[in-house]
């Protein structure tokens, strides 16, 4: 099975990384770009007059990947880690880097609404409510949110180091997710669908 670098994967599908995402993020999220990072500003539901059911969302398995997507992150300056909805609060002082192998991606979008409905409603604010339009102009909104549903964490360190013993009790995962150790330097996270890593959307 071939491997795709993470950066190339993002570029191929126009996915932008989220800065410090959390499990409250939903499609319709308004994002502010500061330098290269996208941070939460609010949600379109708070400024657009649409029926409540318009904002209902669905999670589905994405067809973006049919092979493993790899990413490597250096840990030389950090003893903790927070990536793909998994938090390790310490114990990584002797780990030089971590390899992520994303084997399944899920996406969340709207059940009843598409951009042919949403974009005109946003543009209406330009005439109907200039204060709201001014607040939103230049920001981005997320239409799809993406999750690393099945991802393998592999830690690079000295052969004698038992990473599992160092961090096993310092790992936090999302309620529905599961963790399985396959060696003392590798674990697999499954059903990891609460904290998105990226989004696709449009600039307002």
């Amino acid at each position: 099975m071939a491997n795709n670098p993470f950066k190339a994967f993002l570029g191929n599908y126009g996915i932008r990384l989220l800065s410090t995402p959390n499990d409250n993020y939903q499609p319709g999220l308004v994002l502010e770009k500061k330098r290269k990072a996208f941070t939460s500003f609010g949600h379109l539901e708070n400024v657009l007059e649409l029926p409540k059911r318009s904002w209902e969302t669905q999670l589905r398995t994405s067809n973006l990947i049919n092979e493993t997507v790899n990413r490597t992150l250096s840990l030389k300056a950090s003893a903790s880690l927070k990536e793909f909805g998994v938090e390790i609060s310490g114990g990584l002082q002797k780990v030089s880097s971590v390899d992520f192998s994303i084997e399944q991606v899920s996406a969340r979008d709207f059940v009843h609404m598409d951009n042919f409905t949403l974009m005109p409603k946003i543009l209406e604010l330009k005439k109907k409510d200039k204060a709201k339009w001014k607040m939103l102009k230049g920001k981005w909104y997320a239409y799809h949110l993406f999750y690393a549903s099945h991802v393998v964490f592999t830690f690079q360190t000295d052969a004698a180091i038992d990473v599992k013993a160092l961090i096993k009790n310092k790992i936090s995962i999302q309620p529905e997710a599961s963790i399985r150790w396959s060696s003392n330097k590798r674990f697999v996270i499954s059903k990891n669908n609460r904290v998105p890593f990226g989004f696709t959307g449009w600039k307002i």
Side-chain angles (χ1 to χ4, degrees):
M1 184 178 292
N3 292 324
N4 289 332
F6 187 61
K7 187 175 181 180
F9 164 71
L10 297 177
N12 287 341
Y13 296 101
I15 299 174
R16 294 171 170 85
L17 283 177
L18 291 163
S19 176
T20 61
N22 61 61
D23 59 3
N24 291 321
Y25 282 11
Q26 295 289 320
L29 177 73
V30 178
L31 296 146
E32 189 170 22
K33 187 176 183 182
K34 296 182 178 179
R35 297 182 180 179
K36 295 183 179 181
F38 287 90
T39 58
S40 174
F41 183 81
H43 196 281
L44 289 174
E45 185 176 10
N46 298 320
V47 293
L48 298 182
E49 296 180 2
L50 288 170
K52 189 73 176 178
R53 71 186 297 269
S54 300
W55 304 105
E56 293 177 8
T57 66
Q58 59 188 347
L59 183 73
R60 55 188 176 78
T61 301
S62 172
N63 61 358
L64 294 185
I65 62 172
N66 53 19
E67 51 191 15
T68 302
V69 176
N70 288 334
R71 181 189 186 194
T72 298
L73 186 66
S74 173
L75 292 176
K76 290 182 179 180
S78 179
S80 60
L81 176 68
K82 191 174 183 180
E83 289 288 328
F84 299 119
V86 177
E87 184 171 359
I88 303 173
S89 59
L92 296 173
Q93 293 91 337
K94 297 180 180 180
V95 176
S96 59
S97 64
V98 56
D99 297 328
F100 307 102
S101 298
I102 305 171
E103 299 180 351
Q104 185 181 72
V105 170
S106 295
R108 183 174 292 280
D109 58 14
F110 295 111
V111 177
H112 309 292
M113 182 164 55
D114 58 27
N115 269 307
F116 292 105
T117 302
L118 189 55
M119 183 59 82
K121 289 293 183 181
I122 296 172
L123 294 176
E124 281 179 11
L125 293 175
K126 193 172 183 180
K127 294 182 178 180
K128 294 175 61 176
D129 195 325
K130 291 186 177 180
K132 289 181 180 178
W133 172 254
K134 185 177 180 181
M135 181 176 60
L136 292 176
K137 186 179 179 182
K139 296 179 175 64
W140 293 69
Y141 74 88
Y143 186 78
H144 291 95
L145 294 175
F146 296 93
Y147 309 79
S149 299
H150 189 98
V151 56
V152 181
F153 287 58
T154 304
F155 299 92
Q156 303 301 327
T157 186
D158 183 271
I161 302 299
D162 185 343
V163 178
K164 180 178 179 180
L166 293 174
I167 68 172
K168 184 177 181 180
N169 296 322
K170 299 179 180 179
I171 303 174
S172 298
I173 61 175
Q174 298 306 305
E176 295 87 356
S178 63
I179 183 171
R180 175 179 61 83
W181 285 87
S182 57
S183 76
N184 62 7
K185 291 182 173 62
R186 178 181 298 159
F187 62 75
V188 182
I189 298 292
S190 303
K191 300 178 182 179
N192 190 44
N193 299 318
R194 289 284 294 270
V195 179
F197 66 82
F199 76 98
T200 57
W202 285 263
K203 188 175 182 179
I204 299 171

